[in-house]
Amino acid sequence: MTAKTLTYKILENHLVSGNLEKNQSVGIRIDQTLTQDATGTTAFLLFESMDIERVKTDLSVSYVDHNMSQFGPENHNDHIYLQTVAASKGVYFSRPGNGICHQVHLERFGKSGATLLGSDSHTPTGGGIGMLAIGAGGLDVAVAMGGGAFYLTCPKIIGVRLSGVLSDWTASKDIILKLLSILTTKGNVGCVVEYFGPGVESLTVPQRATVTNMGAELGVTTSIFPSDEQTRKFLAAQDREEDYQPLAADEDCQYDEVIEIDLSKLEPLAACSPSPDNIKTIKSLSGTKVSQVVIGSCTNSSFTDLMMVAEVLKGQTIHPSVEFAIAPGSRQVMNMLAQNGALADIVGAGARILESSCGPCIGQGFSPADGTVSIRTFNRNFAGRTGTKNDNVFLTSPEVAVIAALKGEVIEPQKSGIEYPKINMPRKFVVDDNMIQAPLLLKEAKKVKILRGPTIVVPEAAKKLPDNMNGKVLLKCGDKITTDHIMPAGAFLKYRSNVPEYSKCVFNCFNTQDKPTFAQKALELKDKKIGGIVVASESYGQGSSREHAALCPMYLGVKMVIAKSIERIHKANLINFAVLPIEFENGADYDKINPDDELEVKNINDAINSADSITVKDKTADFEFACSLKLSDRDRKILLAGGLLNYTKSK
Ligand code: MIC
Ligand code: SF4
């Protein structure tokens, strides 16, 4: 028997179709799903259209954590819809205020060795307890809720061998920031990161979860730690020892690539705007004035993170030029801080207490002032994500953040003169699931009336692609276009359950006052039956799982994306909504195309059916170029059926 990686062991246990051979597409059974309100409303509307009485997973949880600002009725309408649809379909419902999906799922539901599919790109947080936890578009999650398999390409495994132990003031955040400096945010599609080695055992589950959470920024399918004594202790402290099983890769297994990180040699780091891979040492940033600090998000807002913060702040006052806030990751964290008095230390130091939700991480308030530096313990710093244009965000550990809040500038924490407060994982967490509504029995569930407020609009179904297309380049953009560029969140997030309204801000960041918007230009073409085309460079669609980045362009008549490379989740979302993703065979052709060029593509469906390449004619620039179709057999069937919903219904 050949030695196996942990990832392949879990894949093997869940395999329902295909062979576990590199680069082959396989289907796996999904044990658990999670959805959150910003993606979940669409996911459940699509699930409803599948006419399935009740979810078929072991466990599905619907969280409300993103859209909680509630300016206008939209957010609350969504919450009520999600609560009633969960009750009707056999889904757990984590009520607003209960915490951020990934933090709560880790605390209350995750299970080592299980598979988890979530409609949020940070679902890999679950890898911190040895789950195979993958982010996907809402429609893929809806299919999994209906008992359908999830399809992925058999991954390449990057083994990260950890040795040594973290020194005081260096945090697990610095592990993932270090890895981002090595692997960057591009070029890692189709990989899984597996941690192993002697350095693993010293890391607690919350520390591991920080690393797997932000692994999403690498663009990998997921990240995973072994499940060991630390995992057992964490789950036992959550009163869930039965969800633990010991798991590890076979010792002599072969990784496709091995990266060594010596924890004792790490130093505090920061990811600087505008990308999580723009890594600098805190040393090099020392002395930079800071006017805002936020500790929170699904990356770094665990009980141990905030206890460390409370210990440092005890009896102190934050610097006069800093606005400081904390957003504990869950109600469990908030409750425990309140019960043991640590919250009083944080409040006493002058912190603003934000609710247990995504909040500033997704531009829901607390935007920084113009021309200032904001330190955040989050995972993303894409331009403008804070709600402030030209924002300057440093993503750091809570250790670096809290010292900056006290001193008003970036300081190497180990040189701050403050003693490092060592926080141990509690032996028992305070467990109270009174804000989680358990599924009803089928008989009761059948009586539930699903409430859809007037701001909830059922999304338009995808359509089959034409055989021949006359199209026009609506936008030519560069490298690393994120889903935040395509579909901004922040103030627009409340339109998630209303595609016609939300579509108005597609590619908002490229709109200028003097010209028609992307949406206006696209709709004009749609009326004339001309296909809209987006041309991009490397790593198109980085970042979130939001399927609106495919659904809204589809609604506007976009039929095709031509890029040098496309990220995994976004590519799957494009296919699910029958927008054709193709890649330049020769990157130099990208340079020859101009915005507004007219493009012609013939025999599209024949190519989707059986070819690996398709010819595109640029009628304006008068040249032809070849693009590759990197599609699995199932992708081809989905595109030919006119999207995943039509494909699933036809089966
Ligand atoms: C994010 O961090 O970008 C989000 C908001 O959580 C997204 C999901 C969404 O857009 O609703 C993600 O990570 O997938
Ligand atoms: Fe929420 Fe931010 Fe985590 Fe996304 S990254 S789930 S917005 S806290």
Side-chain angles (χ1 to χ4, degrees):
M1 234 178 46
T2 47
K4 294 184 189 107
T5 58
L6 175 52
T7 308
Y8 273 79
K9 286 185 184 181
I10 302 180
L11 285 174
E12 192 175 75
N13 285 341
H14 290 83
L15 195 67
V16 291
S17 77
N19 296 321
L20 283 174
E21 281 161 31
K22 289 271 145 69
N23 299 325
Q24 296 298 306
S25 172
V26 290
I28 56 167
R29 189 181 72 251
I30 294 298
D31 301 322
Q32 302 189 346
T33 65
L34 73 77
T35 47
Q36 41 87 341
D37 53 326
T39 54
T41 317
T42 310
F44 276 101
L45 289 168
L46 295 166
F47 181 74
E48 277 193 87
S49 73
M50 291 175 194
D51 271 337
I52 297 170
E53 197 168 45
R54 201 172 168 85
V55 291
K56 299 203 168 94
T57 46
D58 294 349
L59 171 117
S60 288
V61 191
S62 168
Y63 293 91
V64 176
D65 54 2
H66 279 65
N67 259 326
M68 296 185 25
S69 308
Q70 304 186 213
F71 292 109
E74 293 87 351
N75 298 165
H76 200 185
N77 282 341
D78 288 353
H79 303 172
I80 291 172
Y81 167 66
L82 290 170
Q83 186 168 23
T84 52
V85 77
S88 140
K89 300 289 180 192
V91 172
Y92 283 85
F93 182 66
S94 173
R95 299 175 62 189
N98 197 45
I100 305 173
C101 54
H102 309 302
Q103 175 71 24
V104 179
H105 207 86
L106 194 74
E107 291 167 355
R108 306 304 310 137
F109 295 109
K111 217 173 163 172
S112 39
T115 51
L116 167 69
L117 194 72
S119 64
D120 192 284
S121 64
H122 292 105
T123 303
T125 312
I129 51 168
M131 295 191 94
L132 197 73
I134 303 176
L139 187 47
D140 280 320
V141 177
V143 168
M145 287 196 286
F150 176 68
Y151 292 82
L152 73 161
T153 308
C154 273
K156 183 179 145 193
I157 310 292
I158 304 175
V160 176
R161 185 176 179 279
L162 302 178
S163 58
V165 286
L166 291 170
S167 28
D168 289 355
W169 294 113
T170 306
S172 66
K173 181 68 153 273
D174 300 311
I175 305 175
I176 186 62
L177 293 178
K178 178 75 189 173
L179 197 59
L180 276 155
S181 75
I182 299 169
L183 291 174
T184 79
T185 59
K186 20 178 239 199
N188 306 312
V189 173
C191 298
V192 167
V193 177
E194 222 179 277
Y195 293 86
F196 71 106
V200 164
E201 66 178 22
S202 66
L203 298 172
T204 63
V205 163
Q207 287 177 312
R208 295 175 185 185
T210 293
V211 175
T212 55
N213 169 286
M214 201 171 173
E217 277 36 83
L218 298 164
V220 294
T221 306
T222 190
S223 305
I224 189 166
F225 272 85
S227 169
D228 57 10
E229 187 50 20
Q230 290 277 9
T231 323
R232 191 198 61 73
K233 272 201 262 174
F234 176 82
L235 290 171
Q238 291 283 354
D239 278 349
R240 305 200 289 119
E241 195 167 343
E242 67 280 8
D243 290 333
Y244 163 75
Q245 57 167 308
L247 290 167
D250 293 329
E251 258 184 27
D252 43 352
C253 74
Q254 290 295 315
Y255 295 104
D256 295 280
E257 182 185 343
V258 173
I259 294 172
E260 302 263 351
I261 297 184
D262 181 346
L263 301 179
S264 53
K265 295 214 174 99
L266 282 179
E267 61 177 311
L269 300 169
C272 302
S273 289
S275 176
D277 64 2
N278 184 18
I279 307 295
K280 300 200 173 133
T281 61
I282 293 301
K283 191 173 179 183
S284 70
L285 298 167
S286 275
T288 311
K289 298 280 173 246
V290 172
S291 55
Q292 193 189 59
V293 175
V294 200
I295 294 176
S297 94
C298 55
T299 321
N300 267 132
S301 57
S302 65
F303 175 71
T304 37
D305 281 341
L306 283 154
M307 280 307 293
M308 184 279 302
V309 169
E311 283 294 315
V312 173
L313 293 180
K314 200 176 199 155
Q316 307 285 325
T317 301
I318 52 162
H319 192 273
S321 58
V322 175
E323 286 195 6
F324 174 62
I326 62 149
S330 68
R331 208 171 57 101
Q332 179 182 75
V333 175
M334 181 83 101
N335 238 338
M336 288 176 67
L337 296 176
Q339 287 181 17
N340 71 11
L343 190 59
D345 294 329
I346 298 175
V347 172
R352 290 166 59 180
I353 310 301
L354 307 181
E355 58 184 333
S356 293
S357 70
C358 300
C361 180
I362 192 58
Q364 300 291 296
F366 220 73
S367 303
D370 290 303
T372 62
V373 169
S374 176
I375 293 203
R376 298 170 166 225
T377 64
F378 308 169
N379 47 35
R380 289 192 173 143
N381 55 359
F382 305 142
R385 185 170 155 107
T386 59
T388 299
K389 236 185 164 163
N390 303 320
D391 47 10
N392 195 0
V393 174
F394 299 169
L395 303 173
T396 73
S397 64
E399 282 79 352
V400 168
V402 70
I403 299 292
L406 277 181
K407 306 286 182 187
E409 60 184 70
V410 179
I411 285 191
E412 284 182 272
Q414 68 276 29
K415 296 194 181 150
S416 64
I418 298 173
E419 201 184 323
Y420 182 63
K422 251 210 155 56
I423 307 293
N424 291 324
M425 258 251 310
R427 289 164 66 88
K428 277 270 169 257
F429 288 95
V430 173
V431 172
D432 182 356
D433 290 334
N434 65 341
M435 289 293 276
I436 298 175
Q437 290 178 350
L440 298 172
L441 292 174
L442 185 58
K443 203 168 129 224
E444 294 305 314
K446 277 186 172 168
K447 293 186 207 148
V448 173
K449 186 168 166 16
I450 301 173
L451 301 174
R452 276 178 224 87
T455 53
I456 297 175
V457 177
V458 179
E460 198 174 272
K463 292 189 188 69
K464 289 186 185 179
L465 285 158
D467 280 330
N468 300 313
M469 186 178 83
N470 278 320
K472 195 166 182 168
V473 178
L474 273 166
L475 179 76
K476 182 181 175 187
C477 44
D479 272 351
K480 289 187 176 184
I481 294 297
T482 71
T483 52
D484 279 61
H485 289 107
I486 308 171
M487 282 319 305
F492 303 100
L493 198 58
K494 69 176 189 175
Y495 298 121
R496 279 288 173 89
S497 47
N498 184 343
V499 169
E501 193 56 42
Y502 195 31
S503 297
K504 290 181 187 159
C505 64
V506 173
F507 284 118
N508 221 12
C509 60
F510 296 123
N511 289 336
T512 51
Q513 296 238 308
D514 51 321
K515 297 217 175 89
T517 63
F518 180 94
Q520 286 164 336
K521 275 171 48 181
L523 284 175
E524 204 177 298
L525 290 187
K526 189 179 177 189
D527 281 349
K528 293 183 189 154
K529 306 241 170 334
I530 298 173
I533 296 171
V534 173
V535 173
S537 185
E538 296 285 3
S539 196
Y540 181 75
Q542 280 193 357
S544 81
S545 70
R546 64 190 69 151
E547 61 196 339
H548 293 79
L551 177 56
C552 292
M554 174 209 88
Y555 171 81
L556 296 176
V558 172
K559 300 276 181 217
M560 198 178 282
V561 170
I562 312 177
K564 288 188 191 167
S565 61
I566 308 178
E567 293 295 307
R568 173 186 68 89
I569 307 181
H570 185 59
K571 183 171 172 186
N573 284 336
L574 289 170
I575 294 168
N576 287 351
F577 291 98
V579 178
L580 184 64
I582 55 177
E583 292 171 39
F584 289 103
E585 282 188 2
N586 177 359
D589 290 327
Y590 164 86
D591 300 322
K592 299 189 210 158
I593 302 176
N594 290 305
D596 295 328
D597 277 5
E598 284 181 25
L599 307 187
E600 184 183 70
V601 197
K602 289 196 170 149
N603 304 321
I604 296 177
N605 288 307
D606 283 349
I608 294 174
N609 195 25
S610 54
D612 292 327
S613 178
I614 192 165
T615 304
V616 180
K617 181 171 185 184
D618 187 326
K619 295 205 296 189
T620 316
D622 196 20
F623 77 107
E624 285 190 350
F625 58 97
C627 289
S628 55
L629 293 144
K630 294 186 184 152
L631 303 170
S632 69
D633 288 347
R634 181 171 175 271
D635 292 339
R636 291 175 194 273
K637 286 183 193 149
I638 294 173
L639 282 165
L640 291 173
L644 181 57
L645 202 56
N646 291 328
Y647 172 70
T648 308
K649 283 181 182 165
S650 73
K651 284 176 75 189

